Amino acid sequence: MATLVLDNGAYSAKIGFSQETVRVIPNCQFRSKTSRLKTFTANQLDEIKDPSGLFYILPFQKGYLVNWDVQRKVWDHLFGKEMFKVDFADTSVIITEPCFNFSSIQESMNEILFEEYQFQSVLRTNAGSLSAHHFFSSRPSELCCLLVDSGFSFTHIIPYCRSKKMKEGIRRVNVGGKLLTNHLKEIISYRQLHVMDETHVINQVKEDVCYVSQQFFKDMEISQMKGEENTVVRDYVLPDFSSIKKGFCKPREEMVFSGKYKTGEQILRLANERFAVPEMLFHPSDIGIQEMGIPEAIVHSIQSLPEEMHAHFFQNIVLTGGNILFSGFRERLEAELRALAPAHLPVSVLQPPNPICYPWEGGKLLAHSPDYDEIVVTREDFEENGHFICEEKFDI
Amino acid sequence: MVLEKKTSARVEAGQRRVLDEATRQRRLSRQLEALEKDNFQDDPLSSLPPPGPTARLPAFSETEEPEKKRRKTRGDHFKQRFRKNFTTLLEEENLSDRAEPNYLSAEAPPSSLPPRHFCCVCGFPSHYTCTTCGGRYCSSKCLCTHRETRCLKWTL
Ligand SMILES: [Zn+2]
Ligand SMILES: [Zn+2]
């Protein structure tokens, strides 16, 4: 029997059989200005030659699965003959859901996986639990870890003591990649060029030029300077999807500091935007979200847990999710935690080589573990016992 | 010159509308809600002009496919149950009177650090507050831009 591992994120699905490697695929549908009548599903995005003004149809809202029509279209495509060719009767699926997933969504999940698709068996879990499994598999001597999962919809801080999720310590900061991209769109549109319709393009700008500052107010000063002294400012050449397929930063030596470029490309000049946008992860109150930033929320989480565990948590903070890829994220978080944590406790923040696929890789390991068959619910079990058996076995 | 501008701005402030706290809060939550939006433009499908003789021929064959598929899915009964938005689902969970940790209780509490202020025009640290709307600005230049563009926008 095959096991399919699906880390079903609100923006991208991380999917692959446990014997194979992972693929990261958009978990949504798209419509484009150039072929208005067609709806593109998941990786059909690649067929759109001009993704300017790309329209998103997302199955998730605020991190929770609400649009099942869209989700099922994406899954039909992923499980189908063009992609993973799933033989449902002979396949087990490991699928992730957000922390505290609503009970009605959990029931819908059971019905769709067992009754619609008819998987042979199912393991529903949190991405954090797969990450924890990954972590403890590679460091069997550790007792605790604290996962920071910073994704598209929000950031979760989830403490694990061995395989046990410590629910009382979970904290959610309502800042994720979607908010950052929308905020970047908003400030660029106000300051220089209307890009409110260009989520796809500006998301790429964000990934290409934004970073987490190590010295926020110093960088503010630098980015206000004129000419060569301003080492923060970048000129970003926007794609036109004919001669320029992908946007890029002008190399420093080609930057024109005063006057205009003669090359005729469309350029965005980015200075404080580069680090003020990811700063929301550390100071949500900068834009009026009255919540702690990630470092403070981590300390708040650890303090809610038994004191004898504190040292273990501060030493094993593991970063997952797309926002971790902002350069400087880990260093800044470690520095801030060092300042906030009790002085006698060592602080260590670990960034896995692939923070986006770390949970998926944990799922892959779990699929090969000897007691896998005991933690799943089979279709037979579900037909006999219904939702009850899933509530018993799954820890969502 | 800068000084002059400042005095004239102050005089003007006397005549300008001053937004009350409730309006300022509403405006802030509207701005935050906008940051949750999936799209700002219209769906290209809904903004299609009615098909006329000029419509491209291949476009018609493209429509047929999704329609056929839609008829085939047995999901009509899903429509009711499976199409609730986030707010409805959250309300149905009845979380506010639960003792165990849940979605609402997990939200990070407000920061204990002092708030930081940035110019709503240029994004640099700001020291001044617009008397009309409570927005922040860093210089008379940014105040002018702010008044001409956003000061009383989103205030309905
Ligand atoms: Zn300013
Ligand atoms: Zn104002």
Side-chain angles (χ1 to χ4, degrees):
Chain A
M1 194 166 73
T3 303
L4 183 70
V5 183
L6 169 53
D7 180 9
N8 198 50
Y11 181 65
S12 68
K14 280 67 71 178
I15 182 170
F17 285 107
S18 65
Q19 309 287 349
E20 295 167 10
T21 52
V22 63
R23 290 185 62 180
V24 182
I25 295 169
N27 190 10
C28 56
Q29 294 187 297
F30 306 96
R31 276 199 275 270
S32 120
K33 289 193 291 208
T34 45
S35 37
R36 296 180 171 194
L37 291 166
K38 190 169 155 70
T39 301
F40 299 84
T41 301
N43 57 324
Q44 287 174 345
L45 171 63
D46 303 339
E47 297 167 19
I48 303 175
K49 291 195 184 62
D50 179 358
S52 58
L54 194 68
F55 186 85
Y56 285 76
I57 309 164
L58 298 162
F60 283 71
Q61 193 188 359
K62 297 195 179 196
Y64 291 84
L65 214 178
V66 297
N67 193 334
W68 288 92
D69 289 344
V70 176
Q71 184 63 86
R72 286 193 305 163
K73 295 252 171 58
V74 174
W75 285 350
D76 285 349
H77 176 78
L78 293 181
F79 300 155
K81 58 183 188 306
E82 280 176 65
M83 300 288 290
F84 285 89
K85 302 175 188 66
V86 178
D87 173 10
F88 298 103
D90 196 38
T91 301
S92 175
V93 67
I94 299 179
I95 188 164
T96 64
E97 294 170 31
C99 286
F100 303 119
N101 198 12
F102 303 149
S103 44
S104 61
I105 302 178
Q106 295 196 41
E107 290 186 2
S108 308
M109 205 73 151
N110 291 336
E111 287 167 23
I112 286 175
L113 295 173
F114 285 117
E115 291 169 3
E116 281 272 301
Y117 292 110
Q118 311 215 330
F119 277 103
Q120 168 52 36
S121 69
V122 173
L123 170 59
R124 292 178 27 237
T125 183
N126 296 138
S129 303
L130 297 181
S131 296
H133 183 77
H134 194 166
F135 177 79
F136 292 122
S137 306
S138 50
R139 299 187 180 216
S141 60
E142 297 297 340
L143 291 172
C144 304
C145 72
L146 188 96
L147 283 157
V148 178
D149 187 5
S150 189
F152 179 68
S153 315
F154 36 47
T155 300
H156 270 112
I157 289 145
I158 320 167
Y160 282 85
C161 184
R162 282 284 151 191
S163 59
K164 194 181 174 301
K165 179 170 66 180
M166 310 203 59
K167 285 191 178 171
E168 67 276 27
I170 297 178
R171 294 293 177 276
R172 184 187 67 257
V173 179
N174 283 317
V175 179
K178 177 188 195 173
L179 181 134
L180 300 184
T181 297
N182 274 342
H183 181 58
L184 182 59
K185 259 165 44 179
E186 217 274 327
I187 55 182
I188 291 174
S189 298
Y190 183 52
R191 295 175 193 169
Q192 42 183 327
L193 178 73
H194 182 83
V195 291
M196 291 310 283
D197 304 348
E198 301 298 341
T199 305
H200 182 70
V201 174
I202 300 304
N203 190 57
Q204 191 61 51
V205 175
K206 179 188 80 176
E207 292 180 10
D208 292 344
V209 307
C210 286
Y211 68 96
V212 173
S213 172
Q214 307 302 314
Q215 34 167 13
F216 184 73
F217 287 103
K218 182 85 190 135
D219 279 359
M220 276 289 179
E221 277 172 34
I222 297 171
S223 62
Q224 227 164 349
M225 290 173 175
K226 299 266 177 279
E228 299 270 357
E229 275 185 324
N230 187 338
T231 51
V232 169
V233 70
R234 293 285 182 280
D235 284 339
Y236 190 88
V237 180
L238 288 168
D240 59 9
F241 299 110
S242 60
S243 59
I244 308 163
K245 300 263 186 276
K246 195 176 177 295
F248 60 93
C249 271
K250 280 259 182 215
R252 189 98 189 143
E253 58 277 13
E254 285 174 29
M255 275 177 70
V256 176
F257 284 96
S258 51
K260 285 207 152 75
Y261 287 93
K262 295 191 181 75
T263 40
E265 305 129 326
Q266 193 152 40
I267 299 223
L268 291 179
R269 174 154 285 194
L270 300 153
N272 65 27
E273 295 84 358
R274 291 187 64 204
F275 57 91
V277 168
E279 189 69 14
M280 303 305 142
L281 295 160
F282 292 82
H283 286 270
S285 60
D286 285 358
I287 51 161
I289 297 178
Q290 295 313 326
E291 290 175 0
M292 293 173 165
I294 293 174
E296 241 186 316
I298 288 174
V299 174
H300 194 259
S301 159
I302 294 176
Q303 281 170 349
S304 72
L305 299 163
E307 203 174 342
E308 61 273 20
M309 291 180 177
H310 291 190
H312 298 277
F313 284 122
F314 276 116
Q315 269 196 85
N316 294 299
I317 294 164
V318 183
L319 307 179
T320 65
N323 300 323
I324 307 307
L325 296 175
F326 286 119
S327 82
F329 186 100
R330 195 201 69 82
E331 293 79 356
R332 167 77 177 273
L333 180 59
E334 195 166 79
E336 287 211 10
L337 283 173
R338 182 60 281 164
L340 292 169
H344 65 284
L345 297 180
V347 169
S348 161
V349 179
L350 310 153
Q351 176 169 342
N354 188 343
I356 293 180
C357 297
Y358 193 77
W360 185 90
E361 289 157 6
K364 178 181 171 133
L365 291 170
L366 189 61
H368 295 288
S369 78
D371 54 356
Y372 180 69
D373 289 337
E374 284 152 46
I375 56 178
V376 300
V377 168
T378 65
R379 193 150 62 87
E380 251 185 341
D381 285 344
F382 182 74
E383 277 162 7
E384 233 168 83
N385 303 294
H387 297 300
F388 168 77
I389 185 80
C390 296
E391 272 170 52
E392 285 285 300
K393 278 195 148 175
F394 302 146
D395 180 28
I396 299 292
Chain B
M1 208 186 90
V2 178
L3 249 174
E4 229 175 53
K5 243 185 192 164
K6 265 190 185 160
T7 19
S8 71
R10 214 176 293 139
V11 173
E12 226 191 306
Q15 304 148 352
R16 284 175 77 95
R17 231 175 106 197
V18 174
L19 302 181
D20 58 32
E21 191 48 39
T23 314
R24 290 177 185 193
Q25 274 306 323
R26 269 204 304 280
R27 169 161 148 160
L28 175 64
S29 35
R30 213 164 18 244
Q31 284 167 330
L32 293 178
E33 272 161 33
L35 292 175
E36 284 291 332
K37 282 176 79 165
D38 295 345
N39 300 284
F40 286 76
Q41 73 273 40
D42 291 331
D43 185 343
L45 189 65
S46 69
S47 61
L48 260 189
T54 48
R56 288 186 305 124
L57 203 60
F60 284 103
S61 58
E62 279 169 11
T63 36
E64 271 170 34
E65 205 199 359
E67 290 239 326
K68 246 191 257 160
K69 263 190 196 153
R70 195 172 307 141
R71 243 174 273 131
K72 255 191 284 174
T73 53
R74 60 192 197 89
D76 266 4
H77 82 276
F78 279 107
K79 292 266 159 72
Q80 296 292 313
R81 257 194 66 194
F82 289 72
R83 260 196 166 168
K84 290 178 178 167
N85 68 20
F86 176 84
T87 316
T88 314
L89 287 167
L90 182 59
E91 276 166 13
E92 285 178 2
E93 288 285 291
N94 271 323
L95 295 176
S96 44
D97 39 59
R98 298 268 177 92
E100 75 269 26
N102 61 59
Y103 175 83
L104 293 177
S105 68
E107 184 182 5
S111 171
S112 52
L113 302 167
R116 317 191 298 183
H117 298 292
F118 301 95
C119 174
C120 60
V121 177
C122 67
F124 288 110
S126 79
H127 300 287
Y128 314 109
T129 306
C130 171
T131 45
T132 307
C133 72
R136 307 289 300 204
Y137 65 94
C138 72
S139 61
S140 53
K141 185 168 164 262
C142 285
L143 177 61
C144 275
T145 313
H146 166 69
R147 288 211 162 148
E148 280 161 19
T149 53
R150 289 205 158 163
C151 186
L152 286 170
K153 233 176 113 187
W154 300 313
T155 48
L156 289 173

